[in-house]
Amino acid sequence: MASSPDIPSADNTPENPGSGSPSETPDTTGAEGGQQRRGQVRARRAAVMAVPATLALAGLAVLTAQGALGVSFSISGMPFTVTAKSLDGTGFEQFGGLDNMIKDSPNEGDTGGQVLIVTSAIKKATLDSLCQSVDLGGVNLLIKAGSGSSKVEATDLTTDSTELSGDAAFKNIEIGNDASTLDKAGVQGPPGVFSQQADTVHIDNLRQTNYATTAAVFKLPGLRLSFSDSGC
């Protein structure tokens, strides 16, 4: 970070007095000395203020990596489709919420900039033949991965969806939890919100309409990105 212009450089720093006589001692009581002291005080204050900001950013990064936060960014408002032949997950949670666009987003339509979504959180997920597409207005951006022997892998995965379909099976499912008490995937929802969770989830023929996805780790073997007339 650049130094404050008020802090004197090494070339302009008064030398230590040679004989100790008053004439050789720098005058710090004048205007120049006052400016030096004010510059040093401002530099120290800036350094002190930067510490809590740095700690806050580091803490946010850790929480996101641990899956303790769901989606916390402003969505574009453009939905995208995700499909997979199958999904296997360990540590599954699901609860309702709202996603927000930026103020006066061109994509808000009559939504007021908010989209009612269902957040699905999975501690560890494996997906076979992942396909993701977004309609850019007549052409689709298409992403495919994991169609070979190596499958797509994700940890601390969250998806915010408006539609989800497939053939699902759960192990040790709990339905009707308060979303703030969930503990299977490390993500908690708002207090008083209906939710469910399970030890494991398996979904065949998965299809989602999503507005946001986050993951601490997302491995996409055999990644292919292209444009197409049709989506997933």
Side-chain angles (χ1 to χ4, degrees), residues 189-231:
V193 173
F194 183 92
S195 69
Q196 61 183 5
Q197 64 178 1
D199 287 345
T200 64
V201 58
H202 175 84
I203 304 176
D204 287 323
N205 305 313
L206 172 69
R207 187 174 189 86
Q208 293 177 304
T209 300
N210 294 344
Y211 276 86
T213 297
T214 65
V217 176
F218 211 3
K219 296 181 180 180
L220 299 168
L223 174 66
R224 289 178 294 162
L225 185 151
S226 61
F227 290 100
S228 173
D229 292 336
S230 59

PDB file of all heavy atoms in Angstrom, residues 189-231:
ATOM      1  N   GLY A 189     -30.491 -21.662   8.143  1.00  0.00           N
ATOM      2  CA  GLY A 189     -31.376 -20.704   7.518  1.00  0.00           C
ATOM      3  C   GLY A 189     -31.972 -19.742   8.530  1.00  0.00           C
ATOM      4  O   GLY A 189     -31.602 -19.749   9.712  1.00  0.00           O
ATOM      5  N   PRO A 190     -32.922 -18.901   8.105  1.00  0.00           N
ATOM      6  CA  PRO A 190     -33.541 -17.924   9.003  1.00  0.00           C
ATOM      7  C   PRO A 190     -34.395 -18.610  10.068  1.00  0.00           C
ATOM      8  O   PRO A 190     -35.010 -19.650   9.805  1.00  0.00           O
ATOM      9  CB  PRO A 190     -34.402 -17.074   8.065  1.00  0.00           C
ATOM     10  CG  PRO A 190     -33.895 -17.355   6.686  1.00  0.00           C
ATOM     11  CD  PRO A 190     -33.376 -18.752   6.714  1.00  0.00           C
ATOM     12  N   PRO A 191     -34.466 -18.046  11.277  1.00  0.00           N
ATOM     13  CA  PRO A 191     -35.324 -18.611  12.328  1.00  0.00           C
ATOM     14  C   PRO A 191     -36.792 -18.603  11.911  1.00  0.00           C
ATOM     15  O   PRO A 191     -37.263 -17.670  11.257  1.00  0.00           O
ATOM     16  CB  PRO A 191     -35.092 -17.672  13.526  1.00  0.00           C
ATOM     17  CG  PRO A 191     -33.788 -17.015  13.255  1.00  0.00           C
ATOM     18  CD  PRO A 191     -33.691 -16.891  11.759  1.00  0.00           C
ATOM     19  N   GLY A 192     -37.497 -19.676  12.264  1.00  0.00           N
ATOM     20  CA  GLY A 192     -38.922 -19.764  11.978  1.00  0.00           C
ATOM     21  C   GLY A 192     -39.258 -20.252  10.589  1.00  0.00           C
ATOM     22  O   GLY A 192     -40.440 -20.365  10.241  1.00  0.00           O
ATOM     23  N   VAL A 193     -38.254 -20.565   9.770  1.00  0.00           N
ATOM     24  CA  VAL A 193     -38.494 -21.012   8.395  1.00  0.00           C
ATOM     25  C   VAL A 193     -38.536 -22.534   8.346  1.00  0.00           C
ATOM     26  O   VAL A 193     -37.692 -23.213   8.941  1.00  0.00           O
ATOM     27  CB  VAL A 193     -37.412 -20.469   7.444  1.00  0.00           C
ATOM     28  CG1 VAL A 193     -37.547 -21.073   6.053  1.00  0.00           C
ATOM     29  CG2 VAL A 193     -37.491 -18.946   7.367  1.00  0.00           C
ATOM     30  N   PHE A 194     -39.527 -23.070   7.634  1.00  0.00           N
ATOM     31  CA  PHE A 194     -39.675 -24.515   7.459  1.00  0.00           C
ATOM     32  C   PHE A 194     -38.479 -25.079   6.707  1.00  0.00           C
ATOM     33  O   PHE A 194     -37.972 -24.471   5.757  1.00  0.00           O
ATOM     34  CB  PHE A 194     -40.959 -24.796   6.670  1.00  0.00           C
ATOM     35  CG  PHE A 194     -41.270 -26.254   6.466  1.00  0.00           C
ATOM     36  CD1 PHE A 194     -42.066 -26.937   7.357  1.00  0.00           C
ATOM     37  CD2 PHE A 194     -40.755 -26.943   5.372  1.00  0.00           C
ATOM     38  CE1 PHE A 194     -42.366 -28.280   7.160  1.00  0.00           C
ATOM     39  CE2 PHE A 194     -41.036 -28.281   5.165  1.00  0.00           C
ATOM     40  CZ  PHE A 194     -41.850 -28.954   6.068  1.00  0.00           C
ATOM     41  N   SER A 195     -38.017 -26.269   7.124  1.00  0.00           N
ATOM     42  CA  SER A 195     -36.859 -26.872   6.455  1.00  0.00           C
ATOM     43  C   SER A 195     -36.883 -28.378   6.619  1.00  0.00           C
ATOM     44  O   SER A 195     -37.732 -28.941   7.329  1.00  0.00           O
ATOM     45  CB  SER A 195     -35.554 -26.311   7.036  1.00  0.00           C
ATOM     46  OG  SER A 195     -35.378 -26.766   8.373  1.00  0.00           O
ATOM     47  N   GLN A 196     -35.946 -29.024   5.965  1.00  0.00           N
ATOM     48  CA  GLN A 196     -35.741 -30.460   6.122  1.00  0.00           C
ATOM     49  C   GLN A 196     -34.264 -30.774   5.947  1.00  0.00           C
ATOM     50  O   GLN A 196     -33.512 -29.984   5.368  1.00  0.00           O
ATOM     51  CB  GLN A 196     -36.573 -31.248   5.115  1.00  0.00           C
ATOM     52  CG  GLN A 196     -36.248 -30.962   3.660  1.00  0.00           C
ATOM     53  CD  GLN A 196     -37.152 -31.723   2.706  1.00  0.00           C
ATOM     54  OE1 GLN A 196     -38.093 -32.405   3.112  1.00  0.00           O
ATOM     55  NE2 GLN A 196     -36.878 -31.622   1.417  1.00  0.00           N
ATOM     56  N   GLN A 197     -33.845 -31.929   6.484  1.00  0.00           N
ATOM     57  CA  GLN A 197     -32.463 -32.350   6.340  1.00  0.00           C
ATOM     58  C   GLN A 197     -32.389 -33.870   6.398  1.00  0.00           C
ATOM     59  O   GLN A 197     -33.317 -34.545   6.860  1.00  0.00           O
ATOM     60  CB  GLN A 197     -31.566 -31.726   7.416  1.00  0.00           C
ATOM     61  CG  GLN A 197     -31.882 -32.139   8.833  1.00  0.00           C
ATOM     62  CD  GLN A 197     -30.923 -31.525   9.846  1.00  0.00           C
ATOM     63  OE1 GLN A 197     -30.023 -30.773   9.511  1.00  0.00           O
ATOM     64  NE2 GLN A 197     -31.096 -31.859  11.118  1.00  0.00           N
ATOM     65  N   ALA A 198     -31.261 -34.405   5.887  1.00  0.00           N
ATOM     66  CA  ALA A 198     -31.079 -35.855   5.854  1.00  0.00           C
ATOM     67  C   ALA A 198     -29.596 -36.171   5.890  1.00  0.00           C
ATOM     68  O   ALA A 198     -28.755 -35.331   5.534  1.00  0.00           O
ATOM     69  CB  ALA A 198     -31.720 -36.457   4.600  1.00  0.00           C
ATOM     70  N   ASP A 199     -29.291 -37.406   6.295  1.00  0.00           N
ATOM     71  CA  ASP A 199     -27.886 -37.833   6.316  1.00  0.00           C
ATOM     72  C   ASP A 199     -27.327 -37.927   4.900  1.00  0.00           C
ATOM     73  O   ASP A 199     -26.194 -37.510   4.637  1.00  0.00           O
ATOM     74  CB  ASP A 199     -27.750 -39.192   7.014  1.00  0.00           C
ATOM     75  CG  ASP A 199     -27.940 -39.106   8.523  1.00  0.00           C
ATOM     76  OD1 ASP A 199     -27.884 -37.981   9.063  1.00  0.00           O
ATOM     77  OD2 ASP A 199     -28.151 -40.162   9.160  1.00  0.00           O
ATOM     78  N   THR A 200     -28.133 -38.511   3.984  1.00  0.00           N
ATOM     79  CA  THR A 200     -27.687 -38.646   2.590  1.00  0.00           C
ATOM     80  C   THR A 200     -28.858 -38.365   1.653  1.00  0.00           C
ATOM     81  O   THR A 200     -30.035 -38.456   2.039  1.00  0.00           O
ATOM     82  CB  THR A 200     -27.143 -40.053   2.286  1.00  0.00           C
ATOM     83  OG1 THR A 200     -28.206 -41.015   2.427  1.00  0.00           O
ATOM     84  CG2 THR A 200     -25.993 -40.407   3.221  1.00  0.00           C
ATOM     85  N   VAL A 201     -28.532 -38.049   0.396  1.00  0.00           N
ATOM     86  CA  VAL A 201     -29.537 -37.857  -0.642  1.00  0.00           C
ATOM     87  C   VAL A 201     -29.018 -38.468  -1.936  1.00  0.00           C
ATOM     88  O   VAL A 201     -27.822 -38.383  -2.240  1.00  0.00           O
ATOM     89  CB  VAL A 201     -29.859 -36.354  -0.834  1.00  0.00           C
ATOM     90  CG1 VAL A 201     -28.607 -35.570  -1.194  1.00  0.00           C
ATOM     91  CG2 VAL A 201     -30.936 -36.162  -1.901  1.00  0.00           C
ATOM     92  N   HIS A 202     -29.913 -39.104  -2.675  1.00  0.00           N
ATOM     93  CA  HIS A 202     -29.599 -39.609  -4.016  1.00  0.00           C
ATOM     94  C   HIS A 202     -30.723 -39.157  -4.940  1.00  0.00           C
ATOM     95  O   HIS A 202     -31.902 -39.377  -4.645  1.00  0.00           O
ATOM     96  CB  HIS A 202     -29.496 -41.139  -4.037  1.00  0.00           C
ATOM     97  CG  HIS A 202     -29.294 -41.690  -5.421  1.00  0.00           C
ATOM     98  ND1 HIS A 202     -28.055 -41.773  -6.019  1.00  0.00           N
ATOM     99  CD2 HIS A 202     -30.193 -42.161  -6.333  1.00  0.00           C
ATOM    100  CE1 HIS A 202     -28.185 -42.274  -7.235  1.00  0.00           C
ATOM    101  NE2 HIS A 202     -29.468 -42.521  -7.443  1.00  0.00           N
ATOM    102  N   ILE A 203     -30.359 -38.530  -6.064  1.00  0.00           N
ATOM    103  CA  ILE A 203     -31.353 -38.055  -7.029  1.00  0.00           C
ATOM    104  C   ILE A 203     -30.949 -38.513  -8.421  1.00  0.00           C
ATOM    105  O   ILE A 203     -29.836 -38.221  -8.875  1.00  0.00           O
ATOM    106  CB  ILE A 203     -31.480 -36.517  -7.016  1.00  0.00           C
ATOM    107  CG1 ILE A 203     -31.811 -36.013  -5.607  1.00  0.00           C
ATOM    108  CG2 ILE A 203     -32.552 -36.059  -7.995  1.00  0.00           C
ATOM    109  CD1 ILE A 203     -31.865 -34.493  -5.504  1.00  0.00           C
ATOM    110  N   ASP A 204     -31.831 -39.215  -9.088  1.00  0.00           N
ATOM    111  CA  ASP A 204     -31.649 -39.580 -10.496  1.00  0.00           C
ATOM    112  C   ASP A 204     -32.391 -38.569 -11.366  1.00  0.00           C
ATOM    113  O   ASP A 204     -33.439 -38.037 -10.978  1.00  0.00           O
ATOM    114  CB  ASP A 204     -32.194 -40.981 -10.770  1.00  0.00           C
ATOM    115  CG  ASP A 204     -31.304 -42.074 -10.184  1.00  0.00           C
ATOM    116  OD1 ASP A 204     -30.064 -41.906 -10.210  1.00  0.00           O
ATOM    117  OD2 ASP A 204     -31.858 -43.081  -9.680  1.00  0.00           O
ATOM    118  N   ASN A 205     -31.838 -38.316 -12.570  1.00  0.00           N
ATOM    119  CA  ASN A 205     -32.459 -37.405 -13.536  1.00  0.00           C
ATOM    120  C   ASN A 205     -32.713 -36.032 -12.909  1.00  0.00           C
ATOM    121  O   ASN A 205     -33.807 -35.459 -13.028  1.00  0.00           O
ATOM    122  CB  ASN A 205     -33.770 -37.997 -14.065  1.00  0.00           C
ATOM    123  CG  ASN A 205     -33.578 -39.377 -14.663  1.00  0.00           C
ATOM    124  OD1 ASN A 205     -32.656 -39.597 -15.450  1.00  0.00           O
ATOM    125  ND2 ASN A 205     -34.431 -40.318 -14.279  1.00  0.00           N
ATOM    126  N   LEU A 206     -31.704 -35.504 -12.293  1.00  0.00           N
ATOM    127  CA  LEU A 206     -31.814 -34.201 -11.636  1.00  0.00           C
ATOM    128  C   LEU A 206     -31.992 -33.081 -12.654  1.00  0.00           C
ATOM    129  O   LEU A 206     -31.313 -33.033 -13.675  1.00  0.00           O
ATOM    130  CB  LEU A 206     -30.550 -33.933 -10.806  1.00  0.00           C
ATOM    131  CG  LEU A 206     -30.419 -32.531 -10.204  1.00  0.00           C
ATOM    132  CD1 LEU A 206     -31.453 -32.307  -9.107  1.00  0.00           C
ATOM    133  CD2 LEU A 206     -28.998 -32.302  -9.668  1.00  0.00           C
ATOM    134  N   ARG A 207     -32.915 -32.161 -12.338  1.00  0.00           N
ATOM    135  CA  ARG A 207     -33.104 -30.968 -13.155  1.00  0.00           C
ATOM    136  C   ARG A 207     -33.456 -29.811 -12.232  1.00  0.00           C
ATOM    137  O   ARG A 207     -34.390 -29.920 -11.425  1.00  0.00           O
ATOM    138  CB  ARG A 207     -34.189 -31.164 -14.210  1.00  0.00           C
ATOM    139  CG  ARG A 207     -34.279 -29.993 -15.183  1.00  0.00           C
ATOM    140  CD  ARG A 207     -35.274 -30.262 -16.314  1.00  0.00           C
ATOM    141  NE  ARG A 207     -35.189 -29.230 -17.345  1.00  0.00           N
ATOM    142  CZ  ARG A 207     -34.343 -29.254 -18.363  1.00  0.00           C
ATOM    143  NH1 ARG A 207     -33.512 -30.269 -18.514  1.00  0.00           N
ATOM    144  NH2 ARG A 207     -34.313 -28.271 -19.240  1.00  0.00           N
ATOM    145  N   GLN A 208     -32.722 -28.704 -12.339  1.00  0.00           N
ATOM    146  CA  GLN A 208     -32.934 -27.540 -11.493  1.00  0.00           C
ATOM    147  C   GLN A 208     -32.986 -26.269 -12.332  1.00  0.00           C
ATOM    148  O   GLN A 208     -32.281 -26.156 -13.346  1.00  0.00           O
ATOM    149  CB  GLN A 208     -31.793 -27.370 -10.476  1.00  0.00           C
ATOM    150  CG  GLN A 208     -31.691 -28.449  -9.415  1.00  0.00           C
ATOM    151  CD  GLN A 208     -30.488 -28.215  -8.522  1.00  0.00           C
ATOM    152  OE1 GLN A 208     -29.362 -28.125  -9.000  1.00  0.00           O
ATOM    153  NE2 GLN A 208     -30.716 -28.106  -7.222  1.00  0.00           N
ATOM    154  N   THR A 209     -33.813 -25.328 -11.882  1.00  0.00           N
ATOM    155  CA  THR A 209     -33.735 -23.949 -12.359  1.00  0.00           C
ATOM    156  C   THR A 209     -33.164 -23.140 -11.213  1.00  0.00           C
ATOM    157  O   THR A 209     -33.806 -22.991 -10.169  1.00  0.00           O
ATOM    158  CB  THR A 209     -35.115 -23.400 -12.771  1.00  0.00           C
ATOM    159  OG1 THR A 209     -35.648 -24.199 -13.828  1.00  0.00           O
ATOM    160  CG2 THR A 209     -34.994 -21.956 -13.237  1.00  0.00           C
ATOM    161  N   ASN A 210     -31.952 -22.632 -11.393  1.00  0.00           N
ATOM    162  CA  ASN A 210     -31.216 -21.978 -10.310  1.00  0.00           C
ATOM    163  C   ASN A 210     -30.993 -20.499 -10.588  1.00  0.00           C
ATOM    164  O   ASN A 210     -30.950 -20.066 -11.742  1.00  0.00           O
ATOM    165  CB  ASN A 210     -29.850 -22.648 -10.109  1.00  0.00           C
ATOM    166  CG  ASN A 210     -29.962 -24.075  -9.604  1.00  0.00           C
ATOM    167  OD1 ASN A 210     -31.012 -24.490  -9.116  1.00  0.00           O
ATOM    168  ND2 ASN A 210     -28.895 -24.835  -9.727  1.00  0.00           N
ATOM    169  N   TYR A 211     -30.826 -19.765  -9.497  1.00  0.00           N
ATOM    170  CA  TYR A 211     -30.425 -18.359  -9.589  1.00  0.00           C
ATOM    171  C   TYR A 211     -29.038 -18.132  -8.998  1.00  0.00           C
ATOM    172  O   TYR A 211     -28.440 -17.087  -9.239  1.00  0.00           O
ATOM    173  CB  TYR A 211     -31.445 -17.463  -8.886  1.00  0.00           C
ATOM    174  CG  TYR A 211     -32.625 -17.123  -9.767  1.00  0.00           C
ATOM    175  CD1 TYR A 211     -33.725 -17.977  -9.847  1.00  0.00           C
ATOM    176  CD2 TYR A 211     -32.641 -15.972 -10.537  1.00  0.00           C
ATOM    177  CE1 TYR A 211     -34.804 -17.686 -10.661  1.00  0.00           C
ATOM    178  CE2 TYR A 211     -33.714 -15.664 -11.358  1.00  0.00           C
ATOM    179  CZ  TYR A 211     -34.795 -16.525 -11.414  1.00  0.00           C
ATOM    180  OH  TYR A 211     -35.860 -16.232 -12.230  1.00  0.00           O
ATOM    181  N   ALA A 212     -28.532 -19.087  -8.235  1.00  0.00           N
ATOM    182  CA  ALA A 212     -27.205 -18.927  -7.642  1.00  0.00           C
ATOM    183  C   ALA A 212     -26.683 -20.284  -7.191  1.00  0.00           C
ATOM    184  O   ALA A 212     -27.456 -21.176  -6.828  1.00  0.00           O
ATOM    185  CB  ALA A 212     -27.261 -17.962  -6.457  1.00  0.00           C
ATOM    186  N   THR A 213     -25.369 -20.420  -7.221  1.00  0.00           N
ATOM    187  CA  THR A 213     -24.686 -21.618  -6.729  1.00  0.00           C
ATOM    188  C   THR A 213     -23.386 -21.188  -6.074  1.00  0.00           C
ATOM    189  O   THR A 213     -22.689 -20.305  -6.590  1.00  0.00           O
ATOM    190  CB  THR A 213     -24.364 -22.600  -7.875  1.00  0.00           C
ATOM    191  OG1 THR A 213     -25.583 -23.059  -8.468  1.00  0.00           O
ATOM    192  CG2 THR A 213     -23.595 -23.810  -7.352  1.00  0.00           C
ATOM    193  N   THR A 214     -23.062 -21.786  -4.932  1.00  0.00           N
ATOM    194  CA  THR A 214     -21.757 -21.580  -4.315  1.00  0.00           C
ATOM    195  C   THR A 214     -21.191 -22.926  -3.895  1.00  0.00           C
ATOM    196  O   THR A 214     -21.936 -23.888  -3.681  1.00  0.00           O
ATOM    197  CB  THR A 214     -21.826 -20.670  -3.057  1.00  0.00           C
ATOM    198  OG1 THR A 214     -22.590 -21.337  -2.038  1.00  0.00           O
ATOM    199  CG2 THR A 214     -22.458 -19.327  -3.375  1.00  0.00           C
ATOM    200  N   ALA A 215     -19.868 -22.991  -3.788  1.00  0.00           N
ATOM    201  CA  ALA A 215     -19.199 -24.200  -3.316  1.00  0.00           C
ATOM    202  C   ALA A 215     -17.813 -23.826  -2.818  1.00  0.00           C
ATOM    203  O   ALA A 215     -17.165 -22.935  -3.383  1.00  0.00           O
ATOM    204  CB  ALA A 215     -19.098 -25.252  -4.416  1.00  0.00           C
ATOM    205  N   ALA A 216     -17.367 -24.494  -1.765  1.00  0.00           N
ATOM    206  CA  ALA A 216     -16.004 -24.274  -1.285  1.00  0.00           C
ATOM    207  C   ALA A 216     -15.009 -24.876  -2.265  1.00  0.00           C
ATOM    208  O   ALA A 216     -13.958 -24.292  -2.542  1.00  0.00           O
ATOM    209  CB  ALA A 216     -15.824 -24.871   0.108  1.00  0.00           C
ATOM    210  N   VAL A 217     -15.343 -26.065  -2.800  1.00  0.00           N
ATOM    211  CA  VAL A 217     -14.519 -26.731  -3.816  1.00  0.00           C
ATOM    212  C   VAL A 217     -15.460 -27.274  -4.883  1.00  0.00           C
ATOM    213  O   VAL A 217     -16.490 -27.872  -4.566  1.00  0.00           O
ATOM    214  CB  VAL A 217     -13.690 -27.879  -3.221  1.00  0.00           C
ATOM    215  CG1 VAL A 217     -12.914 -28.605  -4.315  1.00  0.00           C
ATOM    216  CG2 VAL A 217     -12.736 -27.370  -2.141  1.00  0.00           C
ATOM    217  N   PHE A 218     -15.125 -27.038  -6.153  1.00  0.00           N
ATOM    218  CA  PHE A 218     -15.937 -27.522  -7.268  1.00  0.00           C
ATOM    219  C   PHE A 218     -14.987 -28.082  -8.322  1.00  0.00           C
ATOM    220  O   PHE A 218     -14.288 -27.342  -9.006  1.00  0.00           O
ATOM    221  CB  PHE A 218     -16.749 -26.368  -7.847  1.00  0.00           C
ATOM    222  CG  PHE A 218     -18.085 -26.777  -8.433  1.00  0.00           C
ATOM    223  CD1 PHE A 218     -18.533 -28.080  -8.376  1.00  0.00           C
ATOM    224  CD2 PHE A 218     -18.902 -25.840  -9.050  1.00  0.00           C
ATOM    225  CE1 PHE A 218     -19.760 -28.451  -8.898  1.00  0.00           C
ATOM    226  CE2 PHE A 218     -20.139 -26.185  -9.583  1.00  0.00           C
ATOM    227  CZ  PHE A 218     -20.568 -27.495  -9.503  1.00  0.00           C
ATOM    228  N   LYS A 219     -14.935 -29.410  -8.456  1.00  0.00           N
ATOM    229  CA  LYS A 219     -14.044 -30.062  -9.409  1.00  0.00           C
ATOM    230  C   LYS A 219     -14.846 -30.498 -10.631  1.00  0.00           C
ATOM    231  O   LYS A 219     -15.824 -31.234 -10.504  1.00  0.00           O
ATOM    232  CB  LYS A 219     -13.361 -31.270  -8.764  1.00  0.00           C
ATOM    233  CG  LYS A 219     -12.449 -30.906  -7.596  1.00  0.00           C
ATOM    234  CD  LYS A 219     -11.787 -32.149  -7.002  1.00  0.00           C
ATOM    235  CE  LYS A 219     -10.872 -31.790  -5.850  1.00  0.00           C
ATOM    236  NZ  LYS A 219     -10.222 -32.985  -5.261  1.00  0.00           N
ATOM    237  N   LEU A 220     -14.408 -30.044 -11.823  1.00  0.00           N
ATOM    238  CA  LEU A 220     -15.139 -30.297 -13.058  1.00  0.00           C
ATOM    239  C   LEU A 220     -14.247 -31.021 -14.059  1.00  0.00           C
ATOM    240  O   LEU A 220     -13.683 -30.401 -14.978  1.00  0.00           O
ATOM    241  CB  LEU A 220     -15.624 -28.970 -13.657  1.00  0.00           C
ATOM    242  CG  LEU A 220     -16.577 -28.142 -12.778  1.00  0.00           C
ATOM    243  CD1 LEU A 220     -16.738 -26.740 -13.345  1.00  0.00           C
ATOM    244  CD2 LEU A 220     -17.926 -28.830 -12.659  1.00  0.00           C
ATOM    245  N   PRO A 221     -14.090 -32.332 -13.929  1.00  0.00           N
ATOM    246  CA  PRO A 221     -13.257 -33.064 -14.897  1.00  0.00           C
ATOM    247  C   PRO A 221     -13.917 -33.093 -16.268  1.00  0.00           C
ATOM    248  O   PRO A 221     -15.138 -33.194 -16.395  1.00  0.00           O
ATOM    249  CB  PRO A 221     -13.195 -34.474 -14.285  1.00  0.00           C
ATOM    250  CG  PRO A 221     -14.405 -34.576 -13.425  1.00  0.00           C
ATOM    251  CD  PRO A 221     -14.657 -33.209 -12.892  1.00  0.00           C
ATOM    252  N   GLY A 222     -13.090 -32.971 -17.314  1.00  0.00           N
ATOM    253  CA  GLY A 222     -13.606 -32.986 -18.675  1.00  0.00           C
ATOM    254  C   GLY A 222     -14.465 -31.779 -19.001  1.00  0.00           C
ATOM    255  O   GLY A 222     -15.411 -31.879 -19.799  1.00  0.00           O
ATOM    256  N   LEU A 223     -14.138 -30.640 -18.427  1.00  0.00           N
ATOM    257  CA  LEU A 223     -14.933 -29.414 -18.618  1.00  0.00           C
ATOM    258  C   LEU A 223     -14.969 -29.021 -20.091  1.00  0.00           C
ATOM    259  O   LEU A 223     -13.938 -28.971 -20.764  1.00  0.00           O
ATOM    260  CB  LEU A 223     -14.339 -28.293 -17.786  1.00  0.00           C
ATOM    261  CG  LEU A 223     -14.954 -26.889 -17.977  1.00  0.00           C
ATOM    262  CD1 LEU A 223     -16.396 -26.877 -17.484  1.00  0.00           C
ATOM    263  CD2 LEU A 223     -14.116 -25.854 -17.248  1.00  0.00           C
ATOM    264  N   ARG A 224     -16.187 -28.707 -20.576  1.00  0.00           N
ATOM    265  CA  ARG A 224     -16.359 -28.203 -21.933  1.00  0.00           C
ATOM    266  C   ARG A 224     -17.321 -27.015 -21.894  1.00  0.00           C
ATOM    267  O   ARG A 224     -18.424 -27.131 -21.380  1.00  0.00           O
ATOM    268  CB  ARG A 224     -16.920 -29.280 -22.867  1.00  0.00           C
ATOM    269  CG  ARG A 224     -15.924 -30.395 -23.199  1.00  0.00           C
ATOM    270  CD  ARG A 224     -16.575 -31.431 -24.079  1.00  0.00           C
ATOM    271  NE  ARG A 224     -17.652 -32.122 -23.360  1.00  0.00           N
ATOM    272  CZ  ARG A 224     -18.622 -32.824 -23.950  1.00  0.00           C
ATOM    273  NH1 ARG A 224     -18.650 -32.903 -25.285  1.00  0.00           N
ATOM    274  NH2 ARG A 224     -19.532 -33.447 -23.241  1.00  0.00           N
ATOM    275  N   LEU A 225     -16.887 -25.900 -22.452  1.00  0.00           N
ATOM    276  CA  LEU A 225     -17.710 -24.688 -22.505  1.00  0.00           C
ATOM    277  C   LEU A 225     -17.948 -24.335 -23.970  1.00  0.00           C
ATOM    278  O   LEU A 225     -17.009 -24.319 -24.772  1.00  0.00           O
ATOM    279  CB  LEU A 225     -17.019 -23.535 -21.773  1.00  0.00           C
ATOM    280  CG  LEU A 225     -17.791 -22.217 -21.622  1.00  0.00           C
ATOM    281  CD1 LEU A 225     -17.334 -21.497 -20.353  1.00  0.00           C
ATOM    282  CD2 LEU A 225     -17.576 -21.306 -22.826  1.00  0.00           C
ATOM    283  N   SER A 226     -19.212 -24.053 -24.317  1.00  0.00           N
ATOM    284  CA  SER A 226     -19.533 -23.747 -25.709  1.00  0.00           C
ATOM    285  C   SER A 226     -20.831 -22.955 -25.769  1.00  0.00           C
ATOM    286  O   SER A 226     -21.523 -22.778 -24.759  1.00  0.00           O
ATOM    287  CB  SER A 226     -19.691 -25.044 -26.525  1.00  0.00           C
ATOM    288  OG  SER A 226     -20.751 -25.828 -26.014  1.00  0.00           O
ATOM    289  N   PHE A 227     -21.158 -22.471 -26.968  1.00  0.00           N
ATOM    290  CA  PHE A 227     -22.435 -21.811 -27.213  1.00  0.00           C
ATOM    291  C   PHE A 227     -23.306 -22.769 -28.034  1.00  0.00           C
ATOM    292  O   PHE A 227     -22.817 -23.507 -28.886  1.00  0.00           O
ATOM    293  CB  PHE A 227     -22.243 -20.501 -27.972  1.00  0.00           C
ATOM    294  CG  PHE A 227     -21.581 -19.434 -27.134  1.00  0.00           C
ATOM    295  CD1 PHE A 227     -20.234 -19.169 -27.277  1.00  0.00           C
ATOM    296  CD2 PHE A 227     -22.319 -18.706 -26.211  1.00  0.00           C
ATOM    297  CE1 PHE A 227     -19.620 -18.184 -26.518  1.00  0.00           C
ATOM    298  CE2 PHE A 227     -21.709 -17.733 -25.438  1.00  0.00           C
ATOM    299  CZ  PHE A 227     -20.363 -17.463 -25.581  1.00  0.00           C
ATOM    300  N   SER A 228     -24.610 -22.736 -27.743  1.00  0.00           N
ATOM    301  CA  SER A 228     -25.495 -23.681 -28.396  1.00  0.00           C
ATOM    302  C   SER A 228     -26.865 -23.038 -28.619  1.00  0.00           C
ATOM    303  O   SER A 228     -27.258 -22.109 -27.894  1.00  0.00           O
ATOM    304  CB  SER A 228     -25.650 -24.941 -27.523  1.00  0.00           C
ATOM    305  OG  SER A 228     -26.632 -25.808 -28.053  1.00  0.00           O
ATOM    306  N   ASP A 229     -27.579 -23.540 -29.640  1.00  0.00           N
ATOM    307  CA  ASP A 229     -28.934 -23.066 -29.898  1.00  0.00           C
ATOM    308  C   ASP A 229     -29.906 -23.567 -28.829  1.00  0.00           C
ATOM    309  O   ASP A 229     -30.970 -22.966 -28.608  1.00  0.00           O
ATOM    310  CB  ASP A 229     -29.416 -23.542 -31.272  1.00  0.00           C
ATOM    311  CG  ASP A 229     -28.647 -22.870 -32.398  1.00  0.00           C
ATOM    312  OD1 ASP A 229     -28.112 -21.760 -32.166  1.00  0.00           O
ATOM    313  OD2 ASP A 229     -28.563 -23.465 -33.491  1.00  0.00           O
ATOM    314  N   SER A 230     -29.564 -24.684 -28.182  1.00  0.00           N
ATOM    315  CA  SER A 230     -30.427 -25.258 -27.157  1.00  0.00           C
ATOM    316  C   SER A 230     -29.670 -25.409 -25.848  1.00  0.00           C
ATOM    317  O   SER A 230     -28.445 -25.519 -25.833  1.00  0.00           O
ATOM    318  CB  SER A 230     -30.958 -26.627 -27.606  1.00  0.00           C
ATOM    319  OG  SER A 230     -29.876 -27.507 -27.850  1.00  0.00           O
ATOM    320  N   GLY A 231     -30.404 -25.388 -24.741  1.00  0.00           N
ATOM    321  CA  GLY A 231     -29.791 -25.533 -23.430  1.00  0.00           C
ATOM    322  C   GLY A 231     -29.785 -26.984 -22.975  1.00  0.00           C
ATOM    323  O   GLY A 231     -29.920 -27.906 -23.786  1.00  0.00           O
TER     324      GLY A 231
END
